[in-house]
Amino acid sequence: MKTALTAMGDLPRLCATLEDSPYDAIIASSPENIRYTADVMIDSVKHIRDRLAFVVWPKGRDPVLILCHIDEAYVRQKTWIQDVRGYREFFVNPIDLLVDVLSELGLANGRVGMELEYFAGKYLQSLEKKLPQLSVEPCDEIFRKVRSVKTAREITALQEAFRGTERAMFTTFSSTQVGETEYSLSRRLADAIIGSGAEMVAFNFINAGANTGFPHAAPTDYQVQKGDIVKADSGGWYSGAYPSNVGRTAKMGKPTAQEADAWKSLREIHHTVADMLRPGNTGAKVFDEAVRLHEKHGLPFPFAHNGHSIGLELHEYPMIKPHSITPFEPGMVCTVETRIRKPGEIGLHMEDLYLVTDGKPELLSDAFDNEEILVI
């Protein structure tokens, strides 16, 4: 039987954070935080925005899960939460059920935290109209803080996800032929990601030649030519909602001296930046160093960030970006994303996942060594 202690996420830490908060309860409403709190992904919440779900977690009490009746039977089998309330879509307003639950819990006049970065304004207005004495405040930072430090199970899931996608990329690159179209590359890489253990493809960008100069270009009928760079930035959903986000580069033939020099500089930057993912450093400090290193090597740096954490979302906190003042701590993970982009000309891209430890960061994406550009 599932319990809060066997969930993927650190629910005891979330509960302790709630107890230390000023709120009488927190309410999860996004697909990711419902997944985190209830330990089950409700896909229809992710894809159908008005099919609302909530986890109402009152201080000192067990949570209540509210969801559409269509998902109720499945979720009851998967979640650890005992109190599950289903509503009949189009017959019952989910906000009305939320109001009933809050009233039942004695919170109609309470102070609750909600995900106001996600919860739509019209639903918030409806809730406030029905419970005018309820104080609703943002609690997004609580979820963000708790989820930033991964459990051992999450770290394992993310490592397996990255390794799976890396192997899929290596297989796809290694079998690329002159004359193959980007459409073909994209389909083959998607198949390989699924074959690596992903439940679904999260995103898939693989391009060749001048199209590599764009960060996220849709595949075309462009045919790979001898001498082309081939670049991929792709990922899948693994372990019931944990994504990968891998960047790799290959060359159809021997790299030119200019490409080899650029890649060597990028790898030096990549390693130096990755080594800074240590306790006490901040994303802003690491970002500033990435800017300085690009300037040192004479490489352009027009980018808004140089890496990000990842978990139930592709981009999580902390991030390697300006103004990111949250210190890294052991148990956090972060990608390092080092690249050159010349739109319509060429792109070189590497993206790896690291685990922050008490000492040297640990490389988790270790299944496709990209120290040198892979020669096809």
Side-chain angles (χ1 to χ4, degrees), residues 279-311:
N281 282 343
T282 65
K285 182 177 180 179
V286 179
F287 181 84
D288 289 344
E289 180 64 6
V291 173
R292 187 191 70 80
L293 289 169
H294 277 77
E295 291 175 349
K296 174 186 174 182
H297 287 276
L299 299 174
F301 192 86
F303 310 113
H305 73 88
N306 204 71
H308 54 85
S309 187
I310 189 170

Side-chain angles (χ1 to χ4, degrees), residues 214-268:
F214 302 109
H216 303 129
T220 71
D221 58 3
Y222 174 79
Q223 295 180 327
V224 178
Q225 305 297 311
K226 189 71 174 175
D228 274 353
I229 291 290
V230 183
K231 175 177 70 70
D233 181 5
S234 306
W237 295 105
Y238 297 77
S239 301
Y242 283 81
S244 58
N245 185 1
V246 178
R248 290 292 185 267
T249 302
K251 176 69 186 284
M252 185 61 71
K254 183 179 179 181
T256 66
Q258 184 179 15
E259 290 166 348
D261 287 344
W263 192 257
K264 181 179 179 181
S265 294
L266 287 176
R267 291 304 295 182
E268 289 180 10

